Amino acid sequence: LSRIAGFLRDALQSRLFGTSVAMDAFVIAYRIPNYLRRIFAEGSMQMAFVPVLNELRERGDKVALKDFIDHMAGALFALVFVVAGIGMLAAPLLAELFAPGAVGTPGGDAKLALIAQMLQITFPYALFISLASLVGGVLNSYQKFAIPALSPILLNISMIAAALCLVPHMKAWGYEPVLALAWGVFVAGVLQLAFQLPSLAKLGLLPRPRFDLAHAGVRKIMKLMVPTLF
């Protein structure tokens, strides 16, 4: 379903923007936080988190399990919040780094400014989707597969809705129409996290984020993540 929705999303974006400078700028602005998603969400973090979570769950100590989830949520939130914040502040520099061909060319400054503007909208997506992946990992370990499996569809639905509902109005509001797609990404991150939280609450494992890098479980995850990053 997600792949079908993704095809419809791409077809709609192609019809609205084609191979324009605006669409090129969006692809660049989306690629960077999406790469962070691969590290902090279903990539390295997930591969390290799930085995440790299952190990604790099999011990049957729900207090220790909840404590681990709380500290892991706090550590992940703090780390990705800082990375996303730096990314938003350094958006103009990142735009030049990832789109060097636009530097010093006619219309290049406008393209770089558009990329930077969209990066400041899309970077928080990395934060929301990382937390959503953490929640999904917990649900999967309790054999709750449907909700985490369905949540990626919300990204495509959100971007399709943004393209259909926001794009036609953006120019009248004084904004570049392609910014609607960036806002679609932002909203998708919020939706994917919110969609899974009720299922986690039913298990009594809704996290209360706590930050302590000295926590044994968090330290173990950090060690396990290093080889997966490579």
Side-chain angles (χ1 to χ4, degrees):
L1 289 173
S2 183
R3 295 302 182 189
I4 293 169
F7 172 76
L8 295 174
R9 176 201 69 193
D10 289 347
L12 181 59
Q13 291 174 2
S14 179
R15 183 169 181 82
L16 290 173
F17 297 103
T19 55
S20 62
V21 171
M23 193 62 205
D24 189 33
F26 170 73
V27 169
I28 295 169
Y30 177 56
R31 182 179 298 150
I32 300 171
N34 194 50
Y35 178 71
L36 293 178
R37 174 187 63 82
R38 292 171 60 188
I39 295 176
F40 296 117
E42 62 263 27
S44 299
M45 190 282 294
Q46 189 82 323
M47 285 188 283
F49 173 69
V50 172
V52 177
L53 178 72
N54 284 332
E55 182 183 330
L56 285 171
R57 190 173 68 84
E58 288 169 6
R59 292 179 189 172
D61 188 346
K62 196 163 185 178
V63 174
L65 179 66
K66 180 65 166 59
D67 181 67
F68 168 65
I69 293 172
D70 289 349
H71 281 86
M72 192 60 209
L76 184 64
F77 177 87
L79 177 61
V80 185
F81 182 84
V82 170
V83 171
I86 292 172
M88 292 170 72
L89 292 173
L93 295 176
L94 289 173
E96 292 186 12
L97 180 64
F98 283 85
V103 178
T105 60
D109 289 346
K111 180 178 179 179
L112 291 172
L114 186 58
I115 293 172
Q117 190 176 4
M118 284 192 285
L119 277 173
Q120 291 172 339
I121 299 172
T122 58
F123 251 110
Y125 169 75
L127 176 61
F128 295 122
I129 200 62
S130 296
L131 294 173
S133 181
L134 182 78
V135 173
V138 177
L139 293 176
N140 284 337
S141 73
Y142 278 84
Q143 310 298 308
K144 307 292 184 182
F145 299 112
I147 296 299
L150 283 169
S151 65
I153 302 173
L154 295 172
L155 171 63
N156 294 321
I157 292 174
S158 178
M159 294 183 69
I160 289 171
L164 291 174
C165 301
L166 282 182
V167 168
H169 304 289
M170 293 297 281
K171 190 164 285 187
W173 296 339
Y175 298 103
E176 284 286 342
V178 76
L179 288 175
L181 300 182
W183 282 112
V185 172
F186 177 93
V187 171
V190 177
L191 291 176
Q192 285 179 264
L193 176 59
F195 181 63
Q196 299 182 80
L197 289 179
S199 297
L200 195 63
K202 288 180 181 178
L203 295 174
L205 295 173
L206 199 64
R208 296 176 60 186
R210 300 179 184 179
F211 181 74
D212 182 8
L213 294 180
H215 187 275
V218 174
R219 288 169 60 191
K220 188 171 184 178
I221 296 295
M222 292 170 66
K223 289 179 181 178
L224 290 172
M225 278 185 68
V226 173
T228 65
L229 288 171
F230 288 101

